[in-house]
Every structure is written in C-alpha cells, then in structure tokens.
C-alpha cells in the first residue's frame, strides 16, 4: 500500500497508507489539518494545496492547466505546488512527502 | 433548569451538512472545549451534496464515498452526531430543543444550519404519480440512479432548467437516457445568469441530445400503465416514465420562525451570523445576510457560503470580533464543461464576452456596473476565474478593450487599467 507523509503547518508529521481515491481524500479521512477539500475534489476550491517535497516532484509531475491556474488563487504558490485532489493514489506515490500549504 | 457554572457549555447544531459540519470542526479549531452536538434528520453520515447531481449519478460505486469527514474525525474531535433525528421545536426560554419523539436537549449556544428542501410545485395529479423524484439527499440520488439504470430505455422528464436540473440532464445523457426538460420561463437559468450564458448552456444541452422546451408551465400529470403524460397550460403534452422536479427550494426557516426568530427570505443574521437571539446563530443556505462588498442582503445556495459562514459563526461564538465579508463563488460541471462563477452580477449594465483563441468551449463573461467589475462567469477557464476573483476583491479597474482582445494574453498586467 502506498504510504504518504503529510507535514502540517503545526509541524506535525503524519504518515498514512491509502489504496485508492485522491491524496485529498486520504488527508480528509485522516483529519490532516489544513486540507479542507471543500469542493469534494473537482479542482474548484483550491483548499487542498500542498507543496510536494522537491525530491519527489517526479513522482507527481506538474499540475494540469486548470489546476495550475487555480493554484494562483493562493499567493504562496511555488513551483512545487499541487492541489492534492488531483493526485490519484497509486504505487508511484509510495513514499511521497508533502507539506500542507496553510 | 439553569446550567451549573462548573458544567461545560453545550453548543448544539441543527443540520449536519456543509454548513453544520464545517461549523462543528471550526468550533473545535477555535478552541471550544465544551460539548458539540449535531442533529440531522438524514440518517446518512454527512456527505458532499454537489456530486449527487454530477459524478455520483453516473458512477458505479455502491456507496457514497463523498463524505464530508471520516467517522473517526468526529470521534477524534469529540463531536457527537445524532443522525436520523428530526428537531421539532426550539424552546428559547429553556434554551432547549425538542426532538420529534419528545426528548429534550439543552444548549448554551444554538446554530441553525437547516438549509433548504425541494419545492414541490402545485401540479394537478403529481401526488398520484409513482415515479416522481426530487434531488437533495444522497437517498434521492441513489433512488434516481437505481430507477434509471434498472431500465435505461425509460424516458426522463425534468421540470425546471436551473443548475441542478441541467446537471441531472447532463449526467443522465451520459448514461444514455432520453431526457426532456421543461422550463417555465422563456430561457433556462433565467433568474440566475445572463442571457448569453443561458444561451450557451441551451446550445450545449441541445447538442448533447436533451430536448429543451421553454415557456412551458406544467399544469397536470396523468399516469397510465407507468407512462406519465405531462400537460402544460398551453395544452402541449409530453410523455415520460420518470419525472424529476428541479423546481427550486423552500428554505427551512419554520423552526426559527416558530421560535420567534426574525426571518425574511431566510433566517435574518448579522455580520457574525447571529440571529436576533444572541445565543442563536444561523449559517448556510437558510440565512438571509448582508454582503458588505456589494452592500446588499442576499440568500445564497452554495458550498462557499455554507463553509465561510460556518467559520465566522465558530469564531464569533469563541469570542472573536468577525465580519462575514466574502466574494461569493460557485461552480457547476456539465458534460466536459466546467463553469466557475465569482461575484454577484446583480444590476450589471455591461457584459463583456472574452473568447479564447484555442476553442469555442473556453471563454468568460465579465459583468460590470460602469467601471466596477461585479462578477465573472468562466467556462473551462480557471485563469479568468482567478483573475476575476482578484480583480473583484481589490476593486481593480479593468482595461476593457484589452479584455475583449483575445490576441492579448489573459493576465493581470494586460487586464489592469494603467492610471
Ligand atoms: C444536487 C445538488 C447539487 C449542488 N451543486 C452545487 C455545486 O456544484 N456547487 C455549489 O457551490 N453548491 C452546490 N449545491 C448547493 C450546496 O449543496 C448547498 O449550498 C449546501 O449543501 C448548503 O449547505 P447547508 O448545510 O446550508 O444546507 P443543506 O445542505 O441543505 O443541509 C441542511 C441539513 O439540515 C437538515 N435539517 C433540516 N431541518 C432539520 C430538522 N428540523 N431537524 C434535523 N435536521 C434538519 C437537513 O436534513 C440537511 O441535512 C448543490 C446542491 C444540490 C442539492
Ligand atoms: S478539493 Fe477543491 S480543489 Fe481540491
């Protein structure tokens, strides 16, 4: 099972395992602070912003067009930003470390 | 019975949906150490509503995976959920709510997040039809999905061309069902968007095989051998096995009203989401509130409003001075089209359509009151949505000729009028 690690704004480090769905859903299921997922994962709210660990960016790849534009809603956007509702959990993501944006 | 001083205070919430649940979690985040108790008459673990008319209708997943929070989260944050329990009365004198079986629960702070329910129009014979549905709850969506999939050749007729009705039409077309949509007004989305946007969605649905008829006021329904005949007051009639009502909502204000809480087009709240009783708040679809940016009173039906009012009420109850001041936003997904709306286009006097060069299915409409940008509707164009959001928030003045010019890139540098 792919293991994903979230680092929250309170510097809590939480590692959880998931099998399917999006990284946002995994975060909400595990009550990760700062990931709200208000739109339910359809790339409409930008409340699931994370920074991918720079060494892991190859695992996730770059955001798609709509996602990239939506990220601009947050002034803290960086080159490692992703909306994690757009990250489908699969074996490729095993070991992924992300920092929650807010 | 008055609470003893030593007893932890109780915050009670009526309604466990977008507003009520986000409120409960925000209240903990704000530091509330007392009890949090949430009641809802819906027996299902609280879920997202928007997918019900979209992905959920077409998905093959057995259960609704779109939970607002996991069950463990409620335990972890010590939020008590009482599902399948309807509240019948608020007794303000004893600061108590009464459930339908007569049991009582005391509160120190009460939050009304009762939302809205489908409006059933007074159509003759409607009560005698078996296959007539509304869509507000997960149970409603599951039923519609089952009935449609049971026999895909059943014809569906949707009454009402609002966002929910159109989303249902799009989802059912994806499943291959025959869909007819009747709208009372002269165009779909009549009161909620501009003529241009309405025309766009009309064209899209026609292209996808929905039969849309406008100026159709349904007056009666008769039913013979599972086939319903839907007759309009211009004496045209349509046949369908399944009828879905998309005719809008009634706001759930009765509990509040009966308790003497001020209501208008919704429960009247101040800038902190407080009603005329200082210990009773109201949030979400059920509220009638002031929007400072537009300086007008509104009632909104959106996830954004439910979530943001939830946060304001939670902060206020925990003693913070807060003002609900947001730019409303909303989305709708139909077929491959993503509509994102920001702002309130009330009383606009100019609508500028900005097309993008790549495709006809990517454009935006910018609504102005003279030089003031009021709202933006973006079709498959998140960039326009984001730039619109920023411009509205900061009252930026827009260079209208640059906006119209699709050979110029859409970005703030091109968009902002240089003084
Ligand atoms: C099919 C559909 C699609 C939608 N799509 C979108 C979209 O794409 N984007 C968007 O922004 N918004 C969308 N919305 C609107 C959005 O879902 C609502 O704005 C939101 O649900 C409002 O949340 P709420 O908590 O205020 O009210 P509601 O969601 O209506 O919840 C109120 C709750 O209170 C409960 N309740 C009421 N009275 C009582 C009582 N007396 N006792 C106990 N419980 C009670 C009800 O059972 C209900 O669960 C959609 C809505 C529907 C129905
Ligand atoms: S959950 Fe809304 S954008 Fe990711």
């Amino acid at each position: 099972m792919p293991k994903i690690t979230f680092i929250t704004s309170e510097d809590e480090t939480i590692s959880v395992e998931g099998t399917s769905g999006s990284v946002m859903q995994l975060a909400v299921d595990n009550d990760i602070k700062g990931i709200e997922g208000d739109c339910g994962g359809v790339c409409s709210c930008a409340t699931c912003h994370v920074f991918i660990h720079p060494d892991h960016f190859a695992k996730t790849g770059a955001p798609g067009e709509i996602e990239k534009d939506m990220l601009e809603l947050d002034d803290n956007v960086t080159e490692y930003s992703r909306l994690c509702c757009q990250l489908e959990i699969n074996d490729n993501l095993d070991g992924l470390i992300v920092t929650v944006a807010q | 019975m008055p609470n003893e001083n030593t007893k932890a205070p109780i915050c009670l919430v009526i309604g466990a949906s977008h507003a009520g649940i986000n409120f409960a979690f925000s209240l903990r985040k704000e530091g509330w150490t007392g009890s949090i108790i949430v009641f809802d008459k819906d027996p299902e673990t609280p879920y997202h509503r928007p997918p019900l008319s979209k992905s959920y209708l077409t998905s093959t997943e057995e259960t609704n995976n779109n939970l607002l929070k996991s069950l463990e989260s409620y335990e972890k944050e010590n939020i008590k959920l009482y599902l399948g329990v309807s509240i019948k009365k608020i007794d303000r004198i004893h600061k108590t709510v009464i459930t339908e079986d007569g049991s009582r629960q005391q509160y120190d702070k009460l939050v009304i997040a009762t939302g809205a329910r489908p409006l059933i129009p007074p159509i003759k014979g409607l009560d005698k039809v078996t296959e007539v549905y509304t869509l507000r709850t997960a149970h409603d969506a599951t039923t519609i999905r089952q009935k449609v999939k049971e026999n895909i050749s059943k014809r569906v007729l949707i009454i009402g061309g609002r966002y929910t009705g159109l989303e249902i039409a799009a989802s059912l077309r994806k499943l291959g069902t025959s869909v007819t949509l009747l709208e009372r007004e002269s165009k779909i989305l009549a009161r909620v968007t501009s003529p241009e946007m309405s025309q766009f969605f009309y064209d899209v649905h026609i292209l996808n095989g929905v039969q849309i008829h406008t100026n159709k006021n349904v007056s009666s329904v008769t039913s013979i051998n599972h086939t319903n005949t839907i007759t309009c007051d211009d004496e045209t009639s349509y046949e369908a096995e399944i009828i879905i009502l998309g005719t809008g909502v009634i706001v759930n204000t009765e509990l509040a009203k009966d308790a003497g809480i001020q209501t208008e087009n919704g429960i009247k709240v101040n800038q902190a989401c407080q009603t005329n009783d200082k210990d009773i708040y109201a949030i979400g679809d059920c509220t009638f509130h002031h929007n400072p940016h537009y300086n007008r009173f509104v009632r909104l039906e959106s996830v954004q409003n439910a979530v943001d009012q939830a946060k304001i009420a939670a902060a206020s109850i925990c003693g913070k001075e807060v003002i609900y001041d947001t730019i409303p936003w909303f989305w709708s997904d139909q077929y491959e089209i993503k509509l994102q709306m920001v702002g309130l286009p009330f009383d606009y006097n100019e609508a500028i359509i900005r097309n993008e060069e790549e495709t006809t299915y990517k454009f935006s409409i910018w609504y102005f009151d003279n030089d003031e940008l009021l709202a933006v509707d973006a079709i498959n164009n998140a960039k326009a949505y984001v730039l619109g959001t920023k411009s509205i928030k900061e009252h930026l003045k827009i260079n209208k000729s640059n906006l119209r010019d699709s050979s110029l890139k859409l970005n703030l540098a091109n968009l902002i009028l240089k003084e």
Side-chain angles (χ1 to χ4, degrees), chain A residues 24 37-48 83-86:
Chain A
M24 181 279 287
D38 289 342
C39 75
V42 296
C43 210
S44 295
C45 69
T47 62
C48 62
L83 293 176
C84 65
C85 67
Q86 301 302 304

Side-chain angles (χ1 to χ4, degrees), chain B residues 84 169 174 215:
Chain B
K174 259 191 203 167
N215 290 314

Side-chain angles (χ1 to χ4, degrees), chain B residues 14-20 39-42 49-54 85-88 113-116 135-136 164 167 252 255 283-286 300-304 306 329-333:
Chain B
I14 311 174
S17 182
H18 289 271
F39 286 96
D40 202 301
K41 63 174 119 187
D42 192 329
R49 282 193 208 282
L52 297 180
S53 50
K54 308 179 184 80
V85 182
S86 185
I87 302 297
K88 277 288 163 272
T114 47
L135 206 179
R136 182 85 193 175
T164 308
E167 288 174 354
N252 291 325
L255 273 181
I283 53 177
D285 277 19
C286 67
L300 300 172
E301 287 166 31
S302 72
V303 167
Q304 171 274 321
W329 56 265
F330 183 80
W331 79 93
S332 174
D333 296 322

Side-chain angles (χ1 to χ4, degrees), chain B residues 45-66:
Chain B
T45 308
Y47 49 87
H48 285 267
R49 282 193 208 282
L52 297 180
S53 50
K54 308 179 184 80
S55 56
Y56 184 68
L57 273 189
T58 53
S59 92
T60 48
E61 278 167 25
E62 287 284 313
T63 51
N64 186 355
N65 287 330
N66 300 300

